[in-house]
């Protein structure tokens, strides 16, 4: 039996028990224990309690971790990342800083398509190394569960290589086969003919979900419906990139198809907010991406107040959000989206886990769940959001073991 006791913690903070996803006022329900411990046994949480109630019954095989001056929160869950890419977009970043727009660069064959060229050039082994590296960055920021999309291969071999690389690195793979139209195809319909016939069958054997970029200049509503319906029929959960620049029908389509989430929402108006609030589709907001591109922030406060289920994620990718830090995203949630630290915590733990279909295993600190913990170098758990640069990670415990001491 392997036992790890994290003791003398200033605080243990976790979203309260109850059905997931948390909505409305329940989103801010955080249980906080002061002067507390977490006991992990064989990779799972066995007990969470106050130090004064700790009874170890004379066991001498317990490894101890000193939690003095630290707070424990659940290991973070990043439910939207694009880690399978080669190269970088630092040149494009400089051009944007001088005034070029993201959509203009995309239309001129830069943007996503420049990363497609760099990703294809890596080959499968090189891509695997990059995804492992990106996964190590996530862990350093306290992320213990993550989703990773393909979408920079856009041919059979590199899309499948992307999904395998995410799986091998410990992530949940999402097939973003409909991210952009690669240059070999005359139009989006011809490209979809190819991917649905040639890539979907093997991709469905590896991936957990499918995703589409529904936007002007990418895929329209009819094309997104065709792609997602075929993916659903192949057994994949559905996600959408929607309402990033324009409202192009993503929310009604997500609801119609029973998608797990619709992500971005920077352009969502009142009708979209009301529709999402009346549905089971989670609105995943990506404030680091809005900030990085200088776009309006999504209507997070209105969504929560209307009763929508929301989550937050990094959108880590080379073009629109070059960060793996969910603590930074929590900070932006409070300073830019009008959310409280407690709401941000639930949005990067239990609700993000719900998007990935794993809220029965991760996302809270409670007996029986995975022993995935983020220890904050702080006397109050709200430093998770209070620290503007997200520089709060003291240690990460995954599966009951210390994963990244600083
Ligand atoms: O979620 N918007 C589409 N896809 C990514 C960005 C991809 C890129 O710029 O390379 C996103 O922001
Ligand atoms: Fe994205």
């Amino acid at each position: 039996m392997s036992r790890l006791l994290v003791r003398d913690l200033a605080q243990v903070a976790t979203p309260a028990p109850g059905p997931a996803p948390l909505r409305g006022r329940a989103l801010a329900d955080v249980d906080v224990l002061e002067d507390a411990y977490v006991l992990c046994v064989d990779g799972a949480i066995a007990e969470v309690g106050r130090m004064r109630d700790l009874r170890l019954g004379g066991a001498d095989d317990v490894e101890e971790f000193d939690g003095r001056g630290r707070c424990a929160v659940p290991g973070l869950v990043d439910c939207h990342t694009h880690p399978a890419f080669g190269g970088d977009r630092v040149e494009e970043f400089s051009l944007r800083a001088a005034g070029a727009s993201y959509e203009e660069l995309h239309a001129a064959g830069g943007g996503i398509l420049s990363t497609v060229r760099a990703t294809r050039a890596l080959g499968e082994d090189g891509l695997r190394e990059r995804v492992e590296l990106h996964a190590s960055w996530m862990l350093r920021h306290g992320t213990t569960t993550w989703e990773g999309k393909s979408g920079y291969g856009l041919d059979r071999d590199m899309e499948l290589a992307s999904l395998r690389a995410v799986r091998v690195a410990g992530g949940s793979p999402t097939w973003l086969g409909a991210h952009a139209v690669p240059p070999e195809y005359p139009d989006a319909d011809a490209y979809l003919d190819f991917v649905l016939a040639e890539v979907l069958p093997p991709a469905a054997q590896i991936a957990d979900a499918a995703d589409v970029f529904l936007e002007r200049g990418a895929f329209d509503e009819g094309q997104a419906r065709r792609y997602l319906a075929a993916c659903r029929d192949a057994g994949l959960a559905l996600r959408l990139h929607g309402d990033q620049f324009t409202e192009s029908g993503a929310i009604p389509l997500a609801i119609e198809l029973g998608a797990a989430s619709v992500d971005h929402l920077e352009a969502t108006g009142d009708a979209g907010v009301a529709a999402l609030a009346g549905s089971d589709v989670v609105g995943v907001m990506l404030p680091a991406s809005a900030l990085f591109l200088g776009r309006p922030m999504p209507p997070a406060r209105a969504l929560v107040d209307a009763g929508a289920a929301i989550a937050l994620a990094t959108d880590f990718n080379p073009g629109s959000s070059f960060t793996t830090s969910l603590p930074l995203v929590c900070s932006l949630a409070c300073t830019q989206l009008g959310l409280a630290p407690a709401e941000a915590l639930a949005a990067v733990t239990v609700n993000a886990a719900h998007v990935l279909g794993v809220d029965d295993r991760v996302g809270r600190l409670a007996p029986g769940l995975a022993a995935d913990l983020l220890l904050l170098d702080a006397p109050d758990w709200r430093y998770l959001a209070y620290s503007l640069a997200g520089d709060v990670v003291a240690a990460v415990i995954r599966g009951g073991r210390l994963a990244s001491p600083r």
Side-chain angles (χ1 to χ4, degrees):
M1 198 191 308
S2 97
R3 307 217 272 177
L4 175 70
L5 174 66
V6 186
R7 60 178 302 150
D8 296 305
L9 287 156
Q11 294 178 334
V12 172
T14 177
L22 304 181
R23 295 168 180 265
R25 278 170 206 258
L27 191 66
D29 261 349
V30 170
D31 287 346
V32 181
L33 284 184
E34 312 262 344
D35 192 19
Y37 70 91
V38 180
L39 178 65
C40 313
V41 177
D42 290 340
I45 295 173
E47 293 175 26
V48 180
R50 294 247 161 87
M51 281 307 292
R52 61 167 188 248
D53 300 323
L54 175 62
R55 306 272 178 279
L56 275 179
D60 53 8
D61 62 336
V62 183
E63 190 186 335
E64 297 200 351
F65 190 91
D66 183 2
R68 271 177 299 178
R70 293 169 172 173
C71 294
V73 296
L76 306 179
V77 179
D78 200 341
C79 67
H80 182 140
T81 83
H82 304 251
F85 64 86
D88 61 39
R89 301 256 282 281
V90 66
E91 185 58 33
E92 172 186 312
F93 178 77
S94 307
L95 292 172
R96 283 200 299 104
S101 92
Y102 177 82
E103 284 189 286
E104 280 161 19
L105 291 161
H106 180 69
I112 294 172
L113 291 176
S114 71
T115 300
V116 170
R117 291 189 285 277
T119 304
R120 289 177 175 178
L122 271 184
E124 178 150 9
D125 290 348
L127 184 60
R128 261 190 205 202
E129 279 172 30
R130 289 294 295 262
V131 175
E132 295 280 358
L133 175 69
H134 297 155
S136 77
W137 295 352
M138 294 187 217
L139 186 65
R140 214 162 64 190
H141 289 294
T143 296
T144 49
T145 298
W146 52 278
E147 177 261 22
K149 302 173 197 297
S150 68
Y152 293 117
L154 304 183
D155 62 18
R156 188 177 189 281
D157 288 353
M158 289 310 283
E159 281 298 297
L160 298 178
S162 301
L163 297 174
R164 282 192 290 266
V166 168
R167 181 68 81 195
V168 167
S172 166
T174 293
W175 182 45
L176 180 51
H179 195 193
V181 179
E184 308 83 85
Y185 294 88
D187 56 40
D189 293 306
Y191 172 64
L192 289 181
D193 290 344
F194 157 72
V195 282
L196 292 179
E198 303 292 330
V199 190
L200 172 58
Q205 302 299 311
I206 311 169
D208 294 325
D211 197 344
V212 58
F213 186 20
L214 202 185
E215 188 55 72
R216 71 179 171 209
F219 296 88
D220 68 21
E221 190 203 7
Q223 291 157 346
R225 180 183 286 102
R226 177 181 170 212
Y227 173 81
L228 291 174
C231 291
R232 179 194 58 193
D233 294 347
L236 295 171
L238 305 182
R239 314 279 304 268
L240 289 88
H241 279 70
D243 293 6
Q244 184 180 8
F245 298 98
T246 58
E247 285 189 289
S248 300
I251 289 177
L253 183 62
I255 295 169
E256 174 192 322
L257 296 176
S261 74
V262 54
D263 304 35
H264 271 292
L265 308 176
E266 290 94 314
T268 301
D270 293 347
V273 168
L276 208 52
S279 80
D280 289 330
V281 179
V282 179
V284 177
M285 285 172 282
L286 312 163
S289 166
L291 185 75
F292 200 80
L293 294 186
R295 303 281 310 157
M297 288 288 160
R301 188 71 260 157
L303 282 165
V304 174
D305 291 345
I310 63 133
L312 292 163
T314 60
D315 195 22
F316 169 63
N317 75 78
S320 73
S321 187
F322 195 54
T323 179
T324 49
S325 173
L326 281 172
L328 169 66
V329 167
C330 288
S331 181
L332 296 175
C334 295
T335 62
Q336 308 300 309
L337 299 185
L339 300 185
E343 295 172 322
L345 179 69
V348 295
T349 55
V350 58
N351 278 17
H354 173 79
V355 170
L356 302 183
V358 294
D359 52 284
D360 57 336
R361 289 196 284 117
V362 301
R364 299 192 237 221
L365 299 178
L369 298 188
D372 293 352
L373 282 70
L374 164 54
L375 301 187
L376 303 172
D377 204 357
D380 185 304
W381 72 269
R382 292 171 297 181
Y383 274 58
L384 176 67
Y386 173 51
S387 171
L388 175 57
D391 190 19
V392 283
V393 178
V396 183
I397 291 165
R398 190 168 53 184
R401 288 175 198 282
L402 196 59
S404 86
R406 252 223 172 145

